[in-house]
Amino acid sequence: MQLTQRNPDLDAYLAAGEAVDHAHPLVRATAERLAADHPDAHAYAEAAYVLVRDTIPHSQDTGDTRVTWRASDVLEQGTGICYAKSIAYAALLRARGIPAALCYQRLTDDDGSNPAIHGLVAVRLPGERRWARQDVRGNVPPGVDAQFSVGEERLAWTVRPELGEVDYPELHEEPHPAVLRALRAAPDRPCLWRTLPTEL
């Protein structure tokens, strides 16, 4: 799939924003701690990926009802759904000058029902000519095996077009407005689950 920058200016994918708040002291401190052990951009990007994927559980997996949507809140509270975890990962990348974009899939149940938008991150490492999508949701349920990769994609799920699933090619600087609206409006995760966007 050919990924498409919504903004042709690569610097737009380094900017701090309301959600991708990589100027926040907690985001900066976390990035500096990771970079101390992983000074190379590729090693840093992979370490940040593992941190978000493995040490910040998806709130559905743990039954956590809190809703986070700023990168700093995700890191502070240690919880979030795929959108929030993607925002946190993008912020950690941008904090070290690595362009990062938010992107999405539309996924369904095995019978094509219950569509929902799933959040991903695309990273553009130094020297690379292409963006590489990453999935930090977490490797739950059993059988899911998302891994950091700048070559062949290792996402949690591969879309099934016959079920109406979609890989959206657009690369966003900030969360898609429909995603951000849902996150900001939900008082808790059960409510968020009922108001997740089903298409973009």
Side-chain angles (χ1 to χ4, degrees):
M1 181 184 65
Q2 183 68 39
L3 298 174
T4 305
Q5 292 178 210
R6 287 174 51 85
N7 190 325
D9 183 0
L10 193 61
D11 285 346
Y13 300 93
L14 293 168
E18 188 177 15
V20 187
D21 60 342
H22 66 75
H24 189 280
L26 178 57
V27 180
R28 304 301 285 188
T30 304
E32 288 169 11
R33 178 170 48 82
L34 284 171
D37 293 328
H38 308 281
D40 172 75
H42 186 284
Y44 173 84
E46 184 169 8
Y49 171 89
V50 171
L51 174 82
V52 176
R53 185 194 64 188
D54 294 351
T55 70
I56 300 173
H58 192 290
S59 55
Q60 182 189 25
D61 299 341
T62 59
D64 196 322
T65 60
R66 293 174 293 172
V67 176
T68 52
W69 59 272
R70 286 187 183 93
S72 55
D73 292 337
V74 176
L75 295 175
E76 179 183 16
Q77 298 182 39
T79 190
I81 69 165
C82 61
Y83 306 147
K85 294 182 64 168
S86 294
I87 290 166
Y89 182 45
L92 289 172
L93 292 169
R94 293 184 190 185
R96 298 303 298 175
I98 301 171
L102 298 162
C103 49
Y104 303 92
Q105 294 175 313
R106 181 181 191 263
L107 302 174
T108 70
D109 289 345
D110 289 341
D111 62 358
S113 65
N114 297 317
I117 299 303
H118 177 55
L120 305 170
V121 177
V123 58
R124 181 90 172 262
L125 288 172
E128 296 287 338
R129 295 186 173 200
R130 56 182 290 276
W131 292 87
R133 294 190 304 169
Q134 314 295 332
D135 192 335
V136 291
R137 184 244 181 260
N139 286 338
V140 177
V144 175
D145 185 30
Q147 301 292 332
F148 180 82
S149 176
V150 294
E152 183 180 355
E153 285 189 337
R154 296 288 303 277
L155 306 179
W157 294 283
T158 301
V159 301
R160 301 166 293 184
E162 68 276 11
L163 296 178
E165 296 184 338
V166 177
D167 272 322
Y168 292 105
E170 297 86 8
L171 300 178
H172 300 261
E173 308 98 300
E174 281 283 304
H176 188 284
V179 167
L180 191 55
R181 277 194 304 271
L183 288 171
R184 295 185 65 172
D188 54 39
R189 188 182 47 78
C191 178
L192 177 61
W193 238 233
R194 297 190 296 270
T195 57
L196 290 174
T198 59
E199 60 183 339
L200 298 179

